[in-house]
Amino acid sequence: MADRFARFRRVSPRSLIGKSPRSVAGQVFVLQVALVVLLVACAVFALVLQSERDTSAEAKRRSVAVAEAFAHSPGLLAALQTPDPSKVLQPLTEAARKDAGVDFIVVMDTKGIRYTHPLPSKIGKRFVGTIGPSLAGKVYTESVHGPLGHEVQAIVPVENPAGRVVALVSAGLKVKNVVSEVDRQLPIIFGAGAGALALATGGTALMGRRLQRQTHRLAPDEMTRMYEHHDAVLHSVREGVLILGDDGRLLLANDEARRLLELPPDAEGRYVSDLSGLDQETVALLASGREATDEVHFAGERLLAVNQRPTDRGGGPKGTVVTLRDTTELQALSGRAEVARERLKLLYDAGLRVGTTLDVVRTADELARVAVPRFADFVTVDLADAVLHGEEPAGTATDMRRVAVAGIRDDHPLYEKGRLIDFLPSTPQARGYGTGRSVLVTDLATARGWHAQDPKRTKDILDYGIHSLIAAPIAARGVVLGMANFWRSKQHDAFDDEELSLAEELVARAAVTIDNARRYTREHALAVTLQRSLLPRALPEQTALDVGYRYLPAQSGVSGDWFDVIPLSGSRVALAVGDVVGHGLHAAATMGRLRTAVHNFSTLDLPPDELLSHLDDLVGRIDQDEAGTESAAGVVGATCLYAIYDPVTRRCVMARAGHLAPALVHPDGSVTFAELPAGPPLGLGGMPFQTAELDVAEGTQLVLYTDGLIEDRTRDLDVGMELLREALAGHPGRPPEESCQAVLDELLPDRPKDDVALLIARTQPLPPDRVADWDVPLDPAAVARMREAVSRKLDEWGLSELAFIMELVLSELITNAIRHGSEPIHVRLIYDRTLICEVADGSSTSPHLRYAATTDEGGRGLFLVSQMTERWGTRYTPQGKVIWAEQALPSAGGHGAVPAGALGDLAFDDEEFGDEDTSQAPGSRDEA
């Protein structure tokens, strides 16, 4: 004890007891004598009380016995279940009370309402006593003042077969009825008290002397308070406390230290090196006496933080004091918190890294890569093959395409990427796909259904070390799109239920993105199909231009860019390129309408400015028609460039509506941009379009394009046009197809943001010896001379077999020009892919085909022209009009001669060719 209080030796006794005239030992002696006397008196009184307590104990014992006997009596539970338990139980309790010799037996419900009582008036009233412990299944005794007086009563629970408390039984005695034996014990009590008083007096004197030596004159209250504080701290603190002597002997260990170190009961007083069960590093630290701060040491399965300090810093005895703190749970909690943090970080990263594009395969690959190696060693993603095409998946796990594989190594035996797999119904993938719920396989070696899929490959997988699997369905909007498979190898433990939930959360985040990508793929495929169906599938045959083209859809979807090559009469060719601002089906559909309109207007052989005017009116009407619809987007920003190249005159006429000017690659390799008036975009109306006419040298390349080729967010328009110039310059002899590819490679990124349409046409003029023309006087006799001239020219070209038909056609057309037209009259014959004849006059009236009756003298001329030629038509010029007709060459399978029966029994001469009735009003010459 002296060592335990060594730290208090420096405390002055005077400061604790004040100015006492007696020594501390004297005060203690006097106090002890008084205490012995008091204890003797108390002992006598205690014996008296003990006797009374014995009587009370007897009363309690009898009460408990009677109450338990009645509580377990047969038929009690049945009686409690009757409609009137008091009627059944009251006679039974009274009979049992009299037989047992107790004053009352009370049966009550769990709320304390009496069913029985010796006083019938108390039945139905609340029981006087404490029933809480008995309701908890315990036997409880107490002394109360009840209806019969001072009573000792016992309360016993009544339990049904299921162990539930359904009622209570109380039995008790009045204390005054218990036989008392106090009178027989009083002489013994007084004799023992006298002897104890004598012994206490002598013992107190001896103890007082010893205390004077050991308490350093401390007063008793200070001693008591000091000990209580010391004991309270040692036994209630949650840290272990050890006090070691200078020689390494254990002087003190509190309860927490004994628990943490599992010390034996006799550990105090022994050397720490002799204590078995302590870790050697811990023993070395305790024996060394050195200072330590939160050093971590093992004690069995516990992890302790140890602090050690010397005790002699303030002049105290040499030794050390050691504190121990259990950090095992803290370490475990920190580990779980770290795992939870890592999982949340994984889900956060998945939200950022999965679904960056609307591409099904890339999204699946992002899901696989984000989970390796933080969650799984290998991840494979299998999607229904229909999903890759934007279609709805099937209901079974067949036709599954492996679209993504990621792992910590590349030599794994799992199915390779791109493989088409039919999973058997017994496999985890098929079960998860069919039910829509994830499947956890902790040990693949025991998964027989999985082994049946491919026994050889599954054996290779197990030999490789892969042992655990989570197959999670990729489901969105109630539809299962595929399966995400997470695999673990021998480097990690098997998956558990918590990780199954994490896998489901991870896949759920990716499933919506994959479904959005699937839907986008479907819509994009439909839009691309629509747009490609609206664009030219193949360029028409013509000899005026050598054409190359490219069309690239935008990364974000289809747009409204388009181009066209349209053969016209007289070996001419029209080039068109346009752009409808916007993306999606609406832009593609609008582009198709505009392209169709350009085709229709071009059949009228309209000049470029008039064609753009008609197109502008059409766009305005489209906007008006869609103005009232909810999805009206209009055709805001539609542009177009229309050019006509004539290989005979080597001239190109063009006009544009808000479109970029075309580039010209000259035969010397230089590049210029055509000076073409910039008209407003289509649909604005109110402003006329202007044409520009260019002389084009042989071999010149016309480059038509849309703004997606040269415009970009990272560069100005002028920079893009300069890049186009550099890509085209210096290559005058390069074929148009190669030029198209070179331009795209130079100007476009891998994934363009906007649609691109590019059209490059190299001019190929018609040789002069393939064209013949004549001026015709306004004289009917000139018709015969023209037939002879044309016949000679056809003989020169080797087309004699076409002479009859061509003479017939020219006779009709020239006769009509003489009769109904005006000067100058000009005839031109062109030998190209077809034989073309043109008759021009100064009138703007146009003949119309009509069917003559059998009695009519005229009206058959143009009918014969339409029957004998491939095509015929009229086009207007600033000087008047041109009526033209085309005849297929013999090698092309055309009308090499007059078809049998084509003319019937008709007989005619030169005068009968001009029999078409026309009106002199311009544009209204309808035949009768």
Side-chain angles (χ1 to χ4, degrees):
M1 291 295 295
D3 291 335
R4 295 187 181 183
F5 301 121
R7 56 180 173 173
F8 300 105
R9 290 177 180 175
R10 289 173 293 164
V11 181
S12 173
R14 291 291 181 180
S15 64
L16 298 176
I17 64 175
K19 298 179 180 180
S20 176
R22 296 184 181 183
S23 66
V24 175
Q27 294 182 41
V28 171
F29 179 76
V30 173
L31 179 61
Q32 292 300 320
V33 171
L35 286 175
V36 169
V37 174
L38 179 60
L39 287 175
V40 170
C42 290
V44 174
F45 181 72
L47 289 174
V48 175
L49 292 180
Q50 180 66 36
S51 178
E52 293 182 357
R53 188 161 56 251
D54 289 341
T55 60
S56 297
E58 175 63 17
K60 291 180 180 179
R61 184 188 62 78
R62 291 175 58 185
S63 300
V64 169
V66 173
E68 286 185 335
F70 195 87
H72 296 89
S73 60
L76 177 60
L77 291 176
L80 290 172
Q81 295 176 357
T82 61
D84 189 2
S86 297
K87 182 177 180 181
V88 177
L89 295 175
Q90 179 67 11
L92 297 177
T93 56
E94 286 302 301
R97 178 181 66 81
K98 294 175 182 179
D99 294 339
V102 294
D103 292 325
F104 66 91
I105 297 177
V106 175
V107 181
M108 69 198 84
D109 63 9
T110 55
K111 296 181 181 180
I113 305 302
R114 301 186 185 101
Y115 291 137
T116 66
H117 197 274
L119 301 178
S121 62
K122 301 299 183 179
I123 296 175
K125 297 183 179 180
R126 185 173 297 278
F127 175 74
V128 178
T130 304
I131 65 173
S134 299
L135 291 175
K138 299 179 180 180
V139 175
Y140 183 72
T141 61
E142 62 181 352
S143 177
V144 298
H145 292 276
L148 302 179
H150 187 198
E151 306 165 345
V152 175
Q153 60 186 15
I155 307 168
V156 178
V158 179
E159 298 179 349
N160 61 10
R164 181 182 175 188
V165 177
V166 297
L168 304 174
V169 175
S170 177
L173 294 169
K174 290 185 288 184
V175 176
K176 66 181 180 178
N177 292 336
V178 180
V179 178
S180 176
E181 298 182 357
V182 175
D183 295 338
R184 292 196 300 269
Q185 297 178 0
L186 284 178
I188 300 173
I189 294 174
F190 285 117
L197 179 60
L199 293 174
T201 302
T204 301
L206 296 175
M207 186 180 297
R209 293 180 181 180
R210 184 174 181 84
L211 285 176
Q212 284 183 338
R213 294 192 302 268
Q214 295 184 349
T215 61
H216 299 277
R217 301 178 65 86
L218 289 175
D221 56 341
E222 279 78 14
M223 289 290 299
T224 302
R225 184 168 59 253
M226 189 181 303
Y227 175 80
E228 289 176 349
H229 289 174
H230 169 81
D231 189 68
V233 170
L234 286 180
H235 293 286
S236 62
V237 71
R238 288 300 305 273
E239 289 191 355
V241 178
L242 300 176
I243 297 179
L244 302 175
D246 186 35
D247 57 354
R249 192 187 302 270
L250 179 61
L251 302 180
L252 175 67
N254 70 343
D255 296 344
E256 184 69 7
R258 291 178 181 274
R259 184 184 70 84
L260 294 177
L261 299 177
E262 298 181 357
L263 297 176
D266 60 345
E268 292 182 356
R270 296 172 59 182
Y271 292 101
V272 292
S273 59
D274 297 337
L275 297 175
S276 61
L278 291 182
D279 183 73
Q280 293 300 319
E281 293 185 2
T282 305
V283 171
L285 173 63
L286 298 179
S288 67
R290 63 177 176 84
E291 290 191 15
T293 301
D294 288 336
E295 289 191 12
V296 178
H297 291 268
F298 284 97
E301 296 181 354
R302 294 186 178 91
L303 201 62
L304 303 181
V306 181
N307 291 272
Q308 183 167 267
R309 294 290 186 276
T311 59
D312 59 350
R313 290 183 176 179
K318 290 185 178 182
T320 56
V321 59
V322 181
T323 59
L324 311 171
R325 185 172 66 255
D326 189 357
T327 61
T328 306
E329 294 182 359
L330 181 60
Q331 289 290 109
L333 182 60
S334 299
R336 290 195 295 269
E338 181 66 18
V339 171
R341 188 188 69 82
E342 288 296 329
R343 291 178 178 177
L344 289 175
K345 182 67 166 54
L346 175 61
L347 292 176
Y348 174 78
D349 291 344
L352 295 178
R353 294 168 54 185
V354 178
T356 58
T357 64
L358 286 174
D359 184 275
V360 174
V361 175
R362 184 169 179 181
T363 303
D365 186 68
E366 291 170 344
L367 170 62
R369 294 186 180 279
V370 79
V372 175
R374 299 161 63 182
F375 179 67
D377 295 324
F378 301 93
V379 177
T380 59
V381 180
D382 305 320
L383 296 178
D385 202 43
V387 172
L388 301 178
H389 305 290
E391 302 171 0
E392 292 290 334
T396 59
T398 57
D399 292 335
M400 300 285 286
R401 182 77 64 180
R402 179 145 293 179
V403 297
V405 179
I408 57 177
R409 294 171 56 184
D410 296 331
D411 59 345
H412 57 80
L414 300 171
Y415 283 136
E416 66 278 3
K417 182 178 179 180
R419 182 173 182 137
L420 191 64
I421 309 170
D422 290 337
F423 287 107
L424 296 179
S426 60
T427 60
Q429 290 85 353
R431 297 202 308 271
Y433 189 94
T435 62
R437 294 189 294 271
S438 300
V439 178
L440 170 63
V441 183
T442 57
D443 188 3
L444 287 172
T446 61
R448 298 185 179 276
W450 175 69
H451 285 259
Q453 174 70 28
D454 189 342
K456 182 180 182 304
R457 186 175 291 270
T458 54
K459 182 179 181 302
D460 293 340
I461 292 174
L462 293 175
D463 294 342
Y464 187 80
I466 297 176
H467 61 86
S468 185
L469 165 67
I470 290 178
I474 303 174
R477 301 178 179 92
V479 178
V480 178
L481 308 175
M483 297 296 295
N485 308 298
F486 302 90
W487 312 81
R488 274 191 181 169
S489 59
K490 56 188 176 183
Q491 287 87 348
H492 298 90
D493 295 334
F495 290 109
D496 55 26
D497 291 335
E498 291 186 2
E499 291 170 321
L500 177 66
S501 301
L502 176 61
E504 291 174 342
E505 179 69 19
L506 192 64
V507 173
R509 297 193 176 204
V512 175
T513 303
I514 290 177
D515 188 57
N516 290 340
R518 176 187 68 86
R519 292 167 177 260
Y520 170 78
T521 300
R522 180 182 60 192
E523 298 298 330
H524 185 263
L526 290 175
V528 169
T529 301
L530 171 62
Q531 186 177 36
R532 291 193 182 279
S533 66
L534 297 175
L535 291 172
R537 298 186 179 182
L539 295 181
E541 295 182 1
Q542 46 82 32
T543 58
L545 298 171
D546 180 14
V547 180
Y549 66 92
R550 289 290 188 276
Y551 171 77
L552 296 179
Q555 175 184 357
S556 58
V558 298
S559 185
D561 290 11
W562 57 278
F563 65 92
D564 225 327
V565 178
I566 307 171
L568 301 178
S569 62
S571 294
R572 297 171 305 133
V573 178
L575 301 176
V577 64
D579 184 7
V580 177
V581 176
H583 298 277
L585 291 175
H586 183 270
T590 303
M591 174 271 291
R593 299 170 72 176
L594 295 183
R595 179 171 176 261
T596 302
V598 170
H599 266 272
N600 292 337
F601 293 144
S602 66
T603 59
L604 302 176
D605 257 329
L606 298 177
D609 55 340
E610 292 186 24
L611 184 143
L612 291 180
S613 297
H614 287 291
L615 202 61
D616 182 64
D617 294 339
L618 173 64
V619 172
R621 288 195 298 272
I622 292 176
D623 284 341
Q624 292 178 1
D625 294 341
E626 294 185 351
T629 62
E630 296 181 358
S631 60
V635 195
V636 179
T639 65
C640 183
L641 170 67
Y642 188 78
I644 299 176
Y645 172 70
D646 189 344
V648 177
T649 62
R650 300 181 182 181
R651 299 185 68 80
C652 183
V653 181
M654 59 182 69
R656 58 173 174 158
H659 205 81
L660 297 169
L664 302 176
V665 182
H666 300 284
D668 60 356
S670 62
V671 178
T672 60
F673 290 92
E675 295 183 1
L676 182 62
L682 298 174
L684 298 182
M687 296 182 65
F689 298 97
Q690 301 180 33
T691 61
E693 189 169 357
L694 308 175
D695 290 322
V696 180
E698 180 179 356
T700 301
Q701 296 185 34
L702 305 174
V703 183
L704 285 67
Y705 52 91
T706 56
D707 56 0
L709 180 67
I710 61 174
E711 287 187 350
D712 191 88
R713 295 180 180 179
T714 60
R715 65 188 182 212
D716 294 335
L717 181 62
D718 294 341
V719 176
M721 297 185 72
E722 185 60 30
L723 290 176
L724 176 61
R725 183 198 304 273
E726 294 175 358
L728 293 171
H731 303 281
R734 187 169 56 188
E737 280 291 331
E738 295 182 9
S739 294
C740 287
Q741 191 59 47
V743 168
L744 296 184
D745 294 341
E746 184 71 24
L747 272 72
L748 292 184
D750 293 337
R751 298 174 66 87
K753 301 294 184 181
D754 194 7
D755 279 20
V756 175
L758 175 63
L759 188 66
I760 300 180
R762 184 198 303 276
T763 60
Q764 300 180 139
L766 198 64
D769 59 354
R770 292 293 188 97
V771 180
D773 51 358
W774 302 270
D775 291 324
V776 180
L778 194 65
D779 182 4
V783 175
R785 295 193 296 271
M786 283 304 306
R787 287 205 302 267
E788 294 176 359
V790 168
S791 179
R792 288 193 299 270
K793 178 56 70 173
L794 292 180
D795 291 340
E796 181 183 335
W797 286 343
L799 300 177
S800 301
E801 55 187 298
L802 299 181
F804 177 78
I805 296 177
M806 192 53 60
E807 291 176 9
L808 178 66
V809 170
L810 279 173
S811 297
E812 168 60 25
L813 298 181
I814 294 173
T815 302
N816 275 342
I818 293 173
R819 287 185 176 182
H820 308 293
S822 60
E823 293 185 317
I825 300 175
H826 187 80
V827 174
R828 186 168 68 173
L829 204 61
I830 302 174
Y831 177 21
D832 195 10
R833 295 180 61 255
T834 60
L835 182 60
I836 305 169
C837 66
E838 298 179 343
V839 177
D841 66 76
S843 172
S844 59
T845 58
S846 176
H848 294 272
L849 179 67
R850 69 183 180 90
Y851 295 93
T854 55
T855 58
D856 290 343
E857 295 182 358
R860 299 179 178 86
L862 288 181
F863 176 74
L864 292 176
V865 171
S866 66
Q867 293 296 310
M868 294 296 100
T869 61
E870 290 289 326
R871 296 189 306 157
W872 75 279
T874 304
R875 70 173 182 270
Y876 295 94
T877 66
Q879 294 79 24
K881 69 176 183 297
V882 175
I883 301 178
W884 55 270
E886 292 184 3
Q887 179 66 28
L889 300 178
S891 59
H895 302 294
V898 180
L903 302 181
D905 296 331
L906 292 176
F908 48 86
D909 55 19
D910 295 343
E911 297 299 327
E912 294 175 346
F913 290 167
D915 60 357
E916 302 303 324
D917 181 24
T918 58
S919 173
Q920 296 302 317
S924 61
R925 296 179 56 201
D926 294 334
E927 287 193 352

